[in-house]
Amino acid sequence: MTDPQVAAVGHTLQSAASGNAGATFTGADVAEFVHAATIAIVGELTLDRLWHAVPSFPTRSEVWLRLLEGYGL
């Protein structure tokens, strides 16, 4: 275990050249984000589809909405 936490799913930046997605989180309690990222990556969700997903715990999971807004969605 690390402090702060480090959690990852999918490809690393180096292995993502194939066009597949990867996600890495660092910070307090970030392990909670791994499940949602896993579903998005394994399900090959596009950003447009992910935008319409309603977070089950919006206070913490709203980070996804802010990230998507950063992409202009």
Short mmCIF file of all heavy atoms in Angstrom, two decimals:
data_model
loop_
_atom_site.label_atom_id
_atom_site.label_comp_id
_atom_site.label_asym_id
_atom_site.label_seq_id
_atom_site.Cartn_x
_atom_site.Cartn_y
_atom_site.Cartn_z
N MET A 1 0.84 -1.17 0.00
CA MET A 1 0.00 0.00 0.00
C MET A 1 0.89 1.24 0.00
O MET A 1 1.93 1.26 0.65
CB MET A 1 -0.90 -0.02 1.22
CG MET A 1 -1.88 1.10 1.22
SD MET A 1 -3.39 0.52 2.00
CE MET A 1 -4.11 2.03 2.44
N THR A 2 0.48 2.23 -0.73
CA THR A 2 1.23 3.48 -0.80
C THR A 2 0.43 4.60 -0.16
O THR A 2 -0.78 4.52 -0.02
CB THR A 2 1.54 3.86 -2.26
OG1 THR A 2 0.30 4.08 -2.95
CG2 THR A 2 2.35 2.80 -2.95
N ASP A 3 1.11 5.64 0.20
CA ASP A 3 0.45 6.81 0.75
C ASP A 3 1.08 8.04 0.13
O ASP A 3 2.25 8.31 0.40
CB ASP A 3 0.60 6.85 2.26
CG ASP A 3 -0.21 7.96 2.90
OD1 ASP A 3 -1.13 8.49 2.23
OD2 ASP A 3 0.06 8.31 4.06
N PRO A 4 0.41 8.74 -0.78
CA PRO A 4 -1.00 8.55 -1.16
C PRO A 4 -1.20 7.29 -2.00
O PRO A 4 -0.25 6.72 -2.53
CB PRO A 4 -1.32 9.80 -1.98
CG PRO A 4 -0.02 10.22 -2.55
CD PRO A 4 1.03 9.82 -1.52
N GLN A 5 -2.47 6.90 -2.12
CA GLN A 5 -2.80 5.71 -2.88
C GLN A 5 -2.51 5.91 -4.36
O GLN A 5 -2.61 7.01 -4.89
CB GLN A 5 -4.28 5.37 -2.74
CG GLN A 5 -4.68 4.91 -1.36
CD GLN A 5 -6.17 4.60 -1.28
OE1 GLN A 5 -6.92 4.81 -2.22
NE2 GLN A 5 -6.58 4.09 -0.14
N VAL A 6 -2.17 4.80 -5.03
CA VAL A 6 -2.01 4.78 -6.48
C VAL A 6 -2.85 3.61 -6.97
O VAL A 6 -2.72 2.50 -6.47
CB VAL A 6 -0.54 4.57 -6.90
CG1 VAL A 6 -0.42 4.48 -8.41
CG2 VAL A 6 0.33 5.71 -6.36
N ALA A 7 -3.74 3.87 -7.92
CA ALA A 7 -4.61 2.82 -8.46
C ALA A 7 -4.63 2.96 -9.98
O ALA A 7 -4.63 4.07 -10.51
CB ALA A 7 -6.02 2.96 -7.90
N ALA A 8 -4.62 1.83 -10.69
CA ALA A 8 -4.57 1.88 -12.15
C ALA A 8 -5.35 0.72 -12.75
O ALA A 8 -5.49 -0.34 -12.15
CB ALA A 8 -3.13 1.83 -12.63
N VAL A 9 -5.85 0.95 -13.97
CA VAL A 9 -6.51 -0.08 -14.76
C VAL A 9 -6.23 0.23 -16.22
O VAL A 9 -6.10 1.39 -16.61
CB VAL A 9 -8.04 -0.12 -14.48
CG1 VAL A 9 -8.72 1.18 -14.83
CG2 VAL A 9 -8.69 -1.28 -15.21
N GLY A 10 -6.10 -0.80 -17.04
CA GLY A 10 -5.87 -0.59 -18.47
C GLY A 10 -4.39 -0.49 -18.79
O GLY A 10 -3.53 -0.90 -18.02
N HIS A 11 -4.13 0.07 -19.95
CA HIS A 11 -2.77 0.20 -20.45
C HIS A 11 -2.01 1.32 -19.77
O HIS A 11 -2.60 2.29 -19.32
CB HIS A 11 -2.79 0.48 -21.96
CG HIS A 11 -3.22 -0.68 -22.78
ND1 HIS A 11 -2.36 -1.66 -23.19
CD2 HIS A 11 -4.43 -1.04 -23.24
CE1 HIS A 11 -3.01 -2.56 -23.88
NE2 HIS A 11 -4.27 -2.21 -23.93
N THR A 12 -0.70 1.19 -19.76
CA THR A 12 0.14 2.31 -19.36
C THR A 12 0.27 3.24 -20.56
O THR A 12 -0.11 2.89 -21.68
CB THR A 12 1.54 1.81 -18.95
OG1 THR A 12 2.16 1.23 -20.10
CG2 THR A 12 1.48 0.82 -17.82
N LEU A 13 0.82 4.40 -20.34
CA LEU A 13 1.02 5.34 -21.43
C LEU A 13 1.86 4.71 -22.53
O LEU A 13 1.58 4.87 -23.72
CB LEU A 13 1.68 6.61 -20.90
CG LEU A 13 1.88 7.76 -21.89
CD1 LEU A 13 0.54 8.21 -22.46
CD2 LEU A 13 2.57 8.92 -21.21
N GLN A 14 2.87 3.95 -22.15
CA GLN A 14 3.75 3.32 -23.13
C GLN A 14 3.04 2.24 -23.95
O GLN A 14 3.30 2.07 -25.13
CB GLN A 14 4.98 2.71 -22.44
CG GLN A 14 5.92 3.73 -21.86
CD GLN A 14 5.46 4.27 -20.50
OE1 GLN A 14 4.60 3.68 -19.85
NE2 GLN A 14 5.99 5.40 -20.11
N SER A 15 2.14 1.48 -23.32
CA SER A 15 1.47 0.38 -24.04
C SER A 15 0.18 0.82 -24.73
O SER A 15 -0.45 0.03 -25.43
CB SER A 15 1.18 -0.79 -23.10
OG SER A 15 0.19 -0.43 -22.16
N ALA A 16 -0.20 2.06 -24.57
CA ALA A 16 -1.45 2.54 -25.15
C ALA A 16 -1.33 2.92 -26.62
O ALA A 16 -2.28 3.40 -27.22
CB ALA A 16 -1.99 3.72 -24.35
N ALA A 17 -0.19 2.71 -27.21
CA ALA A 17 0.01 3.06 -28.61
C ALA A 17 -0.97 2.34 -29.53
O ALA A 17 -1.25 2.80 -30.63
CB ALA A 17 1.44 2.75 -29.03
N SER A 18 -1.55 1.25 -29.04
CA SER A 18 -2.51 0.50 -29.85
C SER A 18 -3.86 1.20 -29.93
O SER A 18 -4.75 0.76 -30.64
CB SER A 18 -2.71 -0.89 -29.25
OG SER A 18 -3.28 -0.78 -27.96
N GLY A 19 -4.02 2.30 -29.21
CA GLY A 19 -5.27 3.03 -29.25
C GLY A 19 -6.21 2.66 -28.11
O GLY A 19 -7.28 3.22 -27.98
N ASN A 20 -5.83 1.70 -27.27
CA ASN A 20 -6.66 1.32 -26.14
C ASN A 20 -6.48 2.31 -25.00
O ASN A 20 -5.47 3.00 -24.92
CB ASN A 20 -6.31 -0.10 -25.66
CG ASN A 20 -6.67 -1.13 -26.70
OD1 ASN A 20 -7.72 -1.04 -27.32
ND2 ASN A 20 -5.81 -2.10 -26.89
N ALA A 21 -7.42 2.33 -24.06
CA ALA A 21 -7.42 3.29 -22.96
C ALA A 21 -6.68 2.76 -21.76
O ALA A 21 -6.53 1.57 -21.58
CB ALA A 21 -8.86 3.62 -22.58
N GLY A 22 -6.14 3.62 -20.94
CA GLY A 22 -5.57 3.30 -19.63
C GLY A 22 -5.98 4.36 -18.67
O GLY A 22 -6.27 5.47 -19.04
N ALA A 23 -6.06 4.11 -17.30
CA ALA A 23 -6.43 5.10 -16.29
C ALA A 23 -5.56 4.87 -15.07
O ALA A 23 -5.41 3.75 -14.61
CB ALA A 23 -7.90 4.96 -15.92
N THR A 24 -4.96 5.94 -14.52
CA THR A 24 -4.16 5.88 -13.31
C THR A 24 -4.58 7.03 -12.41
O THR A 24 -4.72 8.16 -12.88
CB THR A 24 -2.65 6.00 -13.63
OG1 THR A 24 -2.29 4.95 -14.53
CG2 THR A 24 -1.81 5.88 -12.37
N PHE A 25 -4.79 6.73 -11.15
CA PHE A 25 -5.22 7.72 -10.17
C PHE A 25 -4.22 7.74 -9.03
O PHE A 25 -3.74 6.71 -8.60
CB PHE A 25 -6.60 7.36 -9.60
CG PHE A 25 -7.64 7.13 -10.65
CD1 PHE A 25 -7.94 5.84 -11.07
CD2 PHE A 25 -8.31 8.19 -11.22
CE1 PHE A 25 -8.90 5.61 -12.03
CE2 PHE A 25 -9.27 7.96 -12.20
CZ PHE A 25 -9.56 6.68 -12.60
N THR A 26 -3.94 8.92 -8.51
CA THR A 26 -3.07 9.07 -7.36
C THR A 26 -3.71 10.08 -6.41
O THR A 26 -4.12 11.15 -6.85
CB THR A 26 -1.68 9.60 -7.77
OG1 THR A 26 -1.15 8.71 -8.76
CG2 THR A 26 -0.74 9.66 -6.60
N GLY A 27 -3.81 9.72 -5.15
CA GLY A 27 -4.38 10.63 -4.15
C GLY A 27 -5.10 9.86 -3.06
O GLY A 27 -5.09 8.63 -3.03
N ALA A 28 -5.75 10.59 -2.19
CA ALA A 28 -6.48 9.98 -1.08
C ALA A 28 -7.72 9.26 -1.58
O ALA A 28 -8.51 9.82 -2.35
CB ALA A 28 -6.88 11.06 -0.07
N ASP A 29 -7.89 8.01 -1.17
CA ASP A 29 -9.08 7.20 -1.47
C ASP A 29 -9.36 7.02 -2.97
O ASP A 29 -10.51 6.86 -3.37
CB ASP A 29 -10.32 7.80 -0.79
CG ASP A 29 -10.17 7.85 0.72
OD1 ASP A 29 -9.62 6.89 1.28
OD2 ASP A 29 -10.60 8.85 1.32
N VAL A 30 -8.35 7.02 -3.81
CA VAL A 30 -8.57 6.89 -5.25
C VAL A 30 -8.93 5.47 -5.68
O VAL A 30 -9.45 5.27 -6.78
CB VAL A 30 -7.36 7.39 -6.08
CG1 VAL A 30 -7.18 8.88 -5.90
CG2 VAL A 30 -6.12 6.61 -5.74
N ALA A 31 -8.69 4.50 -4.82
CA ALA A 31 -9.02 3.12 -5.16
C ALA A 31 -10.51 2.98 -5.49
O ALA A 31 -10.90 2.11 -6.25
CB ALA A 31 -8.63 2.18 -4.03
N GLU A 32 -11.33 3.87 -4.95
CA GLU A 32 -12.77 3.84 -5.23
C GLU A 32 -13.09 4.12 -6.70
O GLU A 32 -14.15 3.77 -7.18
CB GLU A 32 -13.49 4.86 -4.35
CG GLU A 32 -13.39 4.56 -2.88
CD GLU A 32 -14.07 5.61 -2.03
OE1 GLU A 32 -14.95 6.33 -2.54
OE2 GLU A 32 -13.73 5.72 -0.85
N PHE A 33 -12.19 4.75 -7.42
CA PHE A 33 -12.44 5.09 -8.82
C PHE A 33 -12.13 3.95 -9.78
O PHE A 33 -12.53 3.99 -10.93
CB PHE A 33 -11.59 6.30 -9.23
CG PHE A 33 -11.93 7.56 -8.50
CD1 PHE A 33 -10.95 8.23 -7.80
CD2 PHE A 33 -13.22 8.06 -8.51
CE1 PHE A 33 -11.25 9.40 -7.13
CE2 PHE A 33 -13.53 9.23 -7.83
CZ PHE A 33 -12.54 9.91 -7.14
N VAL A 34 -11.40 2.94 -9.32
CA VAL A 34 -10.93 1.89 -10.21
C VAL A 34 -12.09 1.10 -10.83
O VAL A 34 -12.06 0.78 -12.01
CB VAL A 34 -9.94 0.95 -9.50
CG1 VAL A 34 -9.57 -0.23 -10.37
CG2 VAL A 34 -8.70 1.73 -9.13
N HIS A 35 -13.12 0.79 -10.06
CA HIS A 35 -14.21 -0.02 -10.60
C HIS A 35 -14.89 0.68 -11.77
O HIS A 35 -15.10 0.09 -12.83
CB HIS A 35 -15.23 -0.36 -9.52
CG HIS A 35 -16.30 -1.27 -10.02
ND1 HIS A 35 -17.55 -0.83 -10.36
CD2 HIS A 35 -16.28 -2.60 -10.27
CE1 HIS A 35 -18.26 -1.85 -10.79
NE2 HIS A 35 -17.52 -2.94 -10.75
N ALA A 36 -15.23 1.95 -11.61
CA ALA A 36 -15.89 2.69 -12.69
C ALA A 36 -14.98 2.79 -13.91
O ALA A 36 -15.44 2.64 -15.05
CB ALA A 36 -16.29 4.08 -12.22
N ALA A 37 -13.70 3.01 -13.69
CA ALA A 37 -12.76 3.07 -14.82
C ALA A 37 -12.65 1.73 -15.51
O ALA A 37 -12.57 1.66 -16.74
CB ALA A 37 -11.39 3.54 -14.32
N THR A 38 -12.67 0.65 -14.73
CA THR A 38 -12.60 -0.69 -15.31
C THR A 38 -13.81 -0.96 -16.20
O THR A 38 -13.66 -1.46 -17.32
CB THR A 38 -12.53 -1.76 -14.20
OG1 THR A 38 -11.37 -1.52 -13.41
CG2 THR A 38 -12.48 -3.16 -14.78
N ILE A 39 -14.99 -0.62 -15.74
CA ILE A 39 -16.21 -0.80 -16.53
C ILE A 39 -16.12 0.01 -17.83
O ILE A 39 -16.44 -0.48 -18.91
CB ILE A 39 -17.46 -0.39 -15.73
CG1 ILE A 39 -17.61 -1.27 -14.49
CG2 ILE A 39 -18.71 -0.41 -16.60
CD1 ILE A 39 -17.76 -2.74 -14.77
N ALA A 40 -15.68 1.24 -17.74
CA ALA A 40 -15.58 2.09 -18.93
C ALA A 40 -14.57 1.55 -19.93
O ALA A 40 -14.82 1.52 -21.14
CB ALA A 40 -15.21 3.52 -18.52
N ILE A 41 -13.44 1.07 -19.44
CA ILE A 41 -12.38 0.59 -20.33
C ILE A 41 -12.75 -0.76 -20.93
O ILE A 41 -12.67 -0.96 -22.14
CB ILE A 41 -11.03 0.54 -19.59
CG1 ILE A 41 -10.56 1.98 -19.31
CG2 ILE A 41 -10.00 -0.23 -20.40
CD1 ILE A 41 -9.38 2.07 -18.40
N VAL A 42 -13.17 -1.70 -20.09
CA VAL A 42 -13.52 -3.02 -20.60
C VAL A 42 -14.72 -2.95 -21.53
O VAL A 42 -14.78 -3.64 -22.54
CB VAL A 42 -13.79 -3.99 -19.42
CG1 VAL A 42 -14.36 -5.31 -19.90
CG2 VAL A 42 -12.51 -4.24 -18.65
N GLY A 43 -15.67 -2.08 -21.22
CA GLY A 43 -16.85 -1.91 -22.07
C GLY A 43 -16.59 -1.06 -23.29
O GLY A 43 -17.50 -0.84 -24.09
N GLU A 44 -15.37 -0.55 -23.43
CA GLU A 44 -14.97 0.29 -24.56
C GLU A 44 -15.95 1.45 -24.77
O GLU A 44 -16.37 1.75 -25.89
CB GLU A 44 -14.83 -0.55 -25.83
CG GLU A 44 -13.76 -1.61 -25.71
CD GLU A 44 -13.61 -2.47 -26.96
OE1 GLU A 44 -14.37 -2.29 -27.92
OE2 GLU A 44 -12.70 -3.32 -26.96
N LEU A 45 -16.31 2.10 -23.67
CA LEU A 45 -17.23 3.22 -23.75
C LEU A 45 -16.54 4.43 -24.38
O LEU A 45 -15.40 4.74 -24.05
CB LEU A 45 -17.73 3.60 -22.36
CG LEU A 45 -18.58 2.57 -21.65
CD1 LEU A 45 -18.95 3.06 -20.26
CD2 LEU A 45 -19.84 2.28 -22.45
N THR A 46 -17.26 5.10 -25.24
CA THR A 46 -16.75 6.36 -25.78
C THR A 46 -17.03 7.46 -24.77
O THR A 46 -17.84 7.30 -23.85
CB THR A 46 -17.47 6.71 -27.10
OG1 THR A 46 -18.86 6.92 -26.82
CG2 THR A 46 -17.30 5.60 -28.13
N LEU A 47 -16.35 8.58 -24.91
CA LEU A 47 -16.60 9.70 -24.01
C LEU A 47 -18.04 10.17 -24.11
O LEU A 47 -18.64 10.56 -23.11
CB LEU A 47 -15.62 10.84 -24.30
CG LEU A 47 -14.16 10.55 -23.98
CD1 LEU A 47 -13.30 11.75 -24.36
CD2 LEU A 47 -13.98 10.22 -22.51
N ASP A 48 -18.62 10.16 -25.31
CA ASP A 48 -20.02 10.56 -25.47
C ASP A 48 -20.96 9.66 -24.68
O ASP A 48 -21.91 10.13 -24.07
CB ASP A 48 -20.42 10.53 -26.95
CG ASP A 48 -19.79 11.66 -27.75
OD1 ASP A 48 -19.51 12.72 -27.15
OD2 ASP A 48 -19.59 11.47 -28.95
N ARG A 49 -20.70 8.35 -24.66
CA ARG A 49 -21.54 7.41 -23.90
C ARG A 49 -21.31 7.56 -22.41
O ARG A 49 -22.23 7.52 -21.61
CB ARG A 49 -21.27 5.97 -24.33
CG ARG A 49 -21.55 5.66 -25.78
CD ARG A 49 -22.92 5.21 -26.08
NE ARG A 49 -23.26 4.03 -25.30
CZ ARG A 49 -24.52 3.67 -25.12
NH1 ARG A 49 -25.48 4.35 -25.65
NH2 ARG A 49 -24.79 2.62 -24.40
N LEU A 50 -20.06 7.73 -22.01
CA LEU A 50 -19.72 7.85 -20.60
C LEU A 50 -20.36 9.10 -19.99
O LEU A 50 -20.75 9.10 -18.83
CB LEU A 50 -18.20 7.88 -20.43
CG LEU A 50 -17.67 7.84 -19.01
CD1 LEU A 50 -18.15 6.59 -18.28
CD2 LEU A 50 -16.16 7.91 -19.00
N TRP A 51 -20.50 10.14 -20.77
CA TRP A 51 -21.09 11.39 -20.30
C TRP A 51 -22.49 11.17 -19.76
O TRP A 51 -22.91 11.83 -18.82
CB TRP A 51 -21.10 12.41 -21.43
CG TRP A 51 -21.82 13.67 -21.07
CD1 TRP A 51 -23.02 14.10 -21.52
CD2 TRP A 51 -21.37 14.67 -20.15
NE1 TRP A 51 -23.34 15.30 -20.95
CE2 TRP A 51 -22.34 15.68 -20.10
CE3 TRP A 51 -20.23 14.81 -19.37
CZ2 TRP A 51 -22.22 16.80 -19.30
CZ3 TRP A 51 -20.11 15.93 -18.57
CH2 TRP A 51 -21.10 16.91 -18.54
N HIS A 52 -23.23 10.23 -20.30
CA HIS A 52 -24.62 9.99 -19.90
C HIS A 52 -24.75 9.04 -18.72
O HIS A 52 -25.87 8.77 -18.26
CB HIS A 52 -25.43 9.49 -21.09
CG HIS A 52 -25.52 10.50 -22.18
ND1 HIS A 52 -26.32 11.62 -22.09
CD2 HIS A 52 -24.88 10.60 -23.36
CE1 HIS A 52 -26.17 12.36 -23.18
NE2 HIS A 52 -25.30 11.75 -23.96
N ALA A 53 -23.66 8.50 -18.22
CA ALA A 53 -23.70 7.61 -17.06
C ALA A 53 -23.88 8.45 -15.79
O ALA A 53 -23.19 9.44 -15.59
CB ALA A 53 -22.42 6.79 -16.96
N VAL A 54 -24.83 8.07 -14.97
CA VAL A 54 -25.09 8.79 -13.73
C VAL A 54 -24.29 8.14 -12.61
O VAL A 54 -24.46 6.95 -12.35
CB VAL A 54 -26.60 8.77 -13.39
CG1 VAL A 54 -26.86 9.47 -12.06
CG2 VAL A 54 -27.40 9.41 -14.51
N PRO A 55 -23.41 8.88 -11.94
CA PRO A 55 -22.61 8.29 -10.87
C PRO A 55 -23.48 7.83 -9.70
O PRO A 55 -24.42 8.51 -9.32
CB PRO A 55 -21.67 9.41 -10.42
CG PRO A 55 -21.90 10.55 -11.34
CD PRO A 55 -23.11 10.28 -12.14
N SER A 56 -23.15 6.68 -9.12
CA SER A 56 -23.92 6.18 -7.99
C SER A 56 -23.64 6.97 -6.71
O SER A 56 -24.49 7.07 -5.84
CB SER A 56 -23.64 4.70 -7.76
OG SER A 56 -22.26 4.51 -7.59
N PHE A 57 -22.45 7.51 -6.58
CA PHE A 57 -22.08 8.36 -5.45
C PHE A 57 -21.55 9.67 -6.00
O PHE A 57 -20.34 9.86 -6.09
CB PHE A 57 -21.03 7.67 -4.57
CG PHE A 57 -21.51 6.37 -3.98
CD1 PHE A 57 -21.14 5.17 -4.55
CD2 PHE A 57 -22.34 6.37 -2.88
CE1 PHE A 57 -21.59 3.97 -4.02
CE2 PHE A 57 -22.81 5.18 -2.35
CZ PHE A 57 -22.43 3.99 -2.92
N PRO A 58 -22.45 10.57 -6.38
CA PRO A 58 -22.03 11.77 -7.12
C PRO A 58 -21.01 12.65 -6.43
O PRO A 58 -20.23 13.29 -7.09
CB PRO A 58 -23.33 12.53 -7.36
CG PRO A 58 -24.40 11.78 -6.71
CD PRO A 58 -23.86 10.52 -6.15
N THR A 59 -20.98 12.69 -5.12
CA THR A 59 -20.05 13.60 -4.47
C THR A 59 -18.61 13.28 -4.84
O THR A 59 -17.81 14.15 -5.11
CB THR A 59 -20.20 13.56 -2.94
OG1 THR A 59 -20.07 12.22 -2.50
CG2 THR A 59 -21.53 14.12 -2.51
N ARG A 60 -18.25 11.99 -4.86
CA ARG A 60 -16.89 11.59 -5.21
C ARG A 60 -16.76 11.32 -6.70
O ARG A 60 -15.77 11.65 -7.32
CB ARG A 60 -16.49 10.34 -4.42
CG ARG A 60 -15.05 10.01 -4.58
CD ARG A 60 -14.62 8.93 -3.63
NE ARG A 60 -14.54 9.36 -2.25
CZ ARG A 60 -13.48 9.98 -1.71
NH1 ARG A 60 -12.45 10.25 -2.46
NH2 ARG A 60 -13.48 10.32 -0.45
N SER A 61 -17.78 10.71 -7.29
CA SER A 61 -17.70 10.30 -8.69
C SER A 61 -17.92 11.43 -9.68
O SER A 61 -17.75 11.23 -10.87
CB SER A 61 -18.71 9.18 -8.96
OG SER A 61 -18.40 8.06 -8.18
N GLU A 62 -18.31 12.59 -9.22
CA GLU A 62 -18.49 13.70 -10.14
C GLU A 62 -17.19 14.10 -10.82
O GLU A 62 -17.20 14.85 -11.78
CB GLU A 62 -19.10 14.91 -9.42
CG GLU A 62 -20.59 14.78 -9.25
CD GLU A 62 -21.21 16.02 -8.62
OE1 GLU A 62 -20.48 16.96 -8.27
OE2 GLU A 62 -22.43 16.03 -8.49
N VAL A 63 -16.08 13.58 -10.33
CA VAL A 63 -14.81 13.86 -10.99
C VAL A 63 -14.87 13.43 -12.45
O VAL A 63 -14.29 14.07 -13.32
CB VAL A 63 -13.63 13.19 -10.25
CG1 VAL A 63 -13.66 11.69 -10.40
CG2 VAL A 63 -12.31 13.73 -10.76
N TRP A 64 -15.60 12.34 -12.75
CA TRP A 64 -15.74 11.88 -14.14
C TRP A 64 -16.40 12.96 -14.99
O TRP A 64 -15.98 13.21 -16.11
CB TRP A 64 -16.57 10.60 -14.21
CG TRP A 64 -15.89 9.44 -13.60
CD1 TRP A 64 -16.23 8.80 -12.45
CD2 TRP A 64 -14.73 8.77 -14.09
NE1 TRP A 64 -15.36 7.79 -12.20
CE2 TRP A 64 -14.43 7.73 -13.19
CE3 TRP A 64 -13.91 8.95 -15.21
CZ2 TRP A 64 -13.35 6.87 -13.37
CZ3 TRP A 64 -12.85 8.09 -15.38
CH2 TRP A 64 -12.58 7.08 -14.48
N LEU A 65 -17.44 13.59 -14.45
CA LEU A 65 -18.12 14.65 -15.21
C LEU A 65 -17.19 15.82 -15.47
O LEU A 65 -17.17 16.39 -16.55
CB LEU A 65 -19.37 15.11 -14.47
CG LEU A 65 -20.44 14.06 -14.25
CD1 LEU A 65 -21.59 14.62 -13.42
CD2 LEU A 65 -20.94 13.52 -15.58
N ARG A 66 -16.39 16.19 -14.48
CA ARG A 66 -15.45 17.30 -14.67
C ARG A 66 -14.39 16.94 -15.70
O ARG A 66 -13.99 17.77 -16.52
CB ARG A 66 -14.77 17.66 -13.34
CG ARG A 66 -15.72 18.02 -12.19
CD ARG A 66 -16.55 19.30 -12.38
NE ARG A 66 -17.73 19.18 -13.18
CZ ARG A 66 -18.94 18.76 -12.78
NH1 ARG A 66 -19.12 18.39 -11.53
NH2 ARG A 66 -19.97 18.72 -13.60
N LEU A 67 -13.93 15.68 -15.69
CA LEU A 67 -12.95 15.24 -16.69
C LEU A 67 -13.55 15.29 -18.09
O LEU A 67 -12.90 15.71 -19.03
CB LEU A 67 -12.45 13.84 -16.38
CG LEU A 67 -11.57 13.70 -15.13
CD1 LEU A 67 -11.33 12.23 -14.82
CD2 LEU A 67 -10.27 14.44 -15.31
N LEU A 68 -14.79 14.84 -18.22
CA LEU A 68 -15.45 14.85 -19.52
C LEU A 68 -15.68 16.27 -20.01
O LEU A 68 -15.55 16.57 -21.19
CB LEU A 68 -16.75 14.07 -19.47
CG LEU A 68 -16.59 12.57 -19.25
CD1 LEU A 68 -17.92 11.91 -18.97
CD2 LEU A 68 -15.91 11.92 -20.45
N GLU A 69 -16.03 17.16 -19.10
CA GLU A 69 -16.19 18.57 -19.47
C GLU A 69 -14.87 19.12 -19.99
O GLU A 69 -14.86 19.97 -20.90
CB GLU A 69 -16.68 19.39 -18.28
CG GLU A 69 -18.13 19.17 -17.96
CD GLU A 69 -18.57 19.88 -16.69
OE1 GLU A 69 -17.70 20.34 -15.91
OE2 GLU A 69 -19.78 19.97 -16.47
N GLY A 70 -13.77 18.66 -19.44
CA GLY A 70 -12.45 19.08 -19.90
C GLY A 70 -12.18 18.69 -21.35
O GLY A 70 -11.39 19.31 -22.04
N TYR A 71 -12.85 17.63 -21.79
CA TYR A 71 -12.74 17.20 -23.18
C TYR A 71 -13.77 17.88 -24.08
O TYR A 71 -13.90 17.55 -25.25
CB TYR A 71 -12.90 15.68 -23.30
CG TYR A 71 -11.64 14.95 -22.96
CD1 TYR A 71 -11.46 14.36 -21.71
CD2 TYR A 71 -10.61 14.84 -23.88
CE1 TYR A 71 -10.29 13.71 -21.39
CE2 TYR A 71 -9.44 14.17 -23.57
CZ TYR A 71 -9.29 13.61 -22.33
OH TYR A 71 -8.13 12.96 -22.00
N GLY A 72 -14.54 18.80 -23.52
CA GLY A 72 -15.49 19.56 -24.31
C GLY A 72 -16.83 18.87 -24.53
O GLY A 72 -17.56 19.22 -25.44
N LEU A 73 -17.16 17.88 -23.70
CA LEU A 73 -18.44 17.20 -23.84
C LEU A 73 -19.46 17.77 -22.92
O LEU A 73 -19.20 18.33 -21.93
CB LEU A 73 -18.28 15.69 -23.56
CG LEU A 73 -17.33 14.98 -24.51
CD1 LEU A 73 -17.16 13.54 -24.07
CD2 LEU A 73 -17.87 15.00 -25.92
#
